Amino acid sequence: MATLDQLATDVDQGWILYAGSLVMFMHCGFTMLECGCVRTKNASNIIFKTSMDILLAAVTFWAWGYAFAYGGDNTVDGAASANGFIGHSEFGLASGGPTSDVVFSFWFIQWAFASTSATIVSGAVAERINPWAYCVFSTVISSFIYSVVVHWCWSANGWISPFNANKRFGTNGFLDFAGSGVVHLVGGTCSVAAIAILGARRGRFGPRGEAMHLVVEREYAFRPHNRVLASLGTLILWFGWYGFNGGSTFKISGGASLISARVATNTTLGGAAAGLSAFTCAWFVIGHADIDALLNGLLAGLVSLTSGCAFVDPWHSLVIGLIGGVIYFFFARFIVWLRLDDPLQASAVHGACGAWGCFATGLFCTQGNLLRVTGGTEKWGLFYGGGWEQIGVQCVGIICIIVWAAVISAVTLIPLRLVGWLRVSAQVEDEGLDASLHGGAAYGAEGTDGYPTDYNKNQFAAPQQPGPYPFMPEAMSPYMPYGYY
């Protein structure tokens, strides 16, 4: 007959496996969202990249990524020579001594998290990166860049981890409950570095001061081709986020279910508030009910709450989400103004809002919530009398994550660019990666998806003569504001 302790272990293991499965299912949402936001001629390439993210992360996170992240944490004897920067045991879940049986469920959910950090970048570099160069970069992100940050922030030995009781930075360490910084800021920073080094899609930006009708045409030509796919993908991501955030308790017994319930409530409110605030910004700035702002605003709110969802109260979630939606909207426009080409706006959704989520935790974390989650009672959020220490620790964590992810991304991508392996040729880009590299289009014959045949061609590859644009009057165009620079 099972003891109560064994029953609690079984329930907790089931919870981790269920939450990890929800996080893995988020890849379906990423695939649909990204496919819907690119042109039809590159949809198969998106499927290839998001699938490779999962496959490569599974093998490499087992082989060495988990060791870099948690090496020594789950061995029976522990790691005698653990350090605060990187783990160095449990390669292949075997080295470093015998492992506890619970390591397998923990590896499973951590693999799902690791592959997500890489998939964030897939949409940012869409439609022009060499697929094999992308596979190299994806492997580096999920098994090295991400894994080292995990060790810093979540390992029992990390230098800024709340779980390091002996040598952590600050009283509480860096508070990032489910990964606004560890997952999303990493992915967002890698996205910014990648699009800066890779360059924009051919024809995406014209010369400064270009005639407005050409600006409008560019926005129209590079618009999402299927918002039905994009919206369904977004809703799937929202559903999976309950495993992402709620499952980060890694148990459900002993009162942890109450923390998960708070997390689910805060996650819901933050996503809803950000979707509404981003939509409102678009309504007043652009002048129409913009679906892209609504969907990306929702995701921005979920990212903003991923750090503090266990440490804040529900009304805090509304405030954090409202601000997160505004940050997303204007940061996305800033990226366009810089002429950085991010088709999925991942740098704004995951990068800017990931940083905001970590920072907001240092503002709104309450003493009672911190006590329930970590047991700490000495320092908490600035707005609740906890002083400046926690907000300072959060800023240190944010800066270190950005610097680490940006530097390693540059070290990986710049050599690939120098040898000409980073980007596909101009001919392949104009024809579309599906036809050139994947054996054909994801859809039927060109033009049968309901768009003009020339939609799939790069009509801006060469300079265009000024003239009236073919689709609609400028005053009616919803595409002008995002391309106005």
Side-chain angles (χ1 to χ4, degrees), residues 9-27:
T9 298
D10 292 341
V11 170
D12 291 340
Q13 291 292 292
W15 173 245
I16 294 173
L17 294 173
Y18 170 70
S21 298
L22 286 180
V23 176
M24 192 276 170
F25 185 61
M26 292 174 74
H27 286 280

Side-chain angles (χ1 to χ4, degrees), residues 130-141:
N130 184 316
W132 310 117
Y134 176 78
C135 289
V136 172
F137 192 36
S138 175
T139 299
V140 171
I141 294 171

Side-chain angles (χ1 to χ4, degrees), residues 301-352:
L302 296 173
V303 171
S304 299
L305 261 297
T306 300
S307 172
C309 52
F311 301 116
V312 302
D313 291 336
W315 78 267
H316 301 145
S317 300
L318 288 171
V319 175
I320 294 171
L322 286 170
I323 297 173
V326 175
I327 290 174
Y328 145 71
F329 181 80
F330 287 102
F331 192 84
R333 295 172 67 83
F334 176 66
I335 287 292
V336 172
W337 182 80
L338 292 175
R339 295 179 171 236
L340 296 176
D341 185 14
D342 186 348
L344 270 290
Q345 300 179 346
S347 52
V349 172
H350 300 278

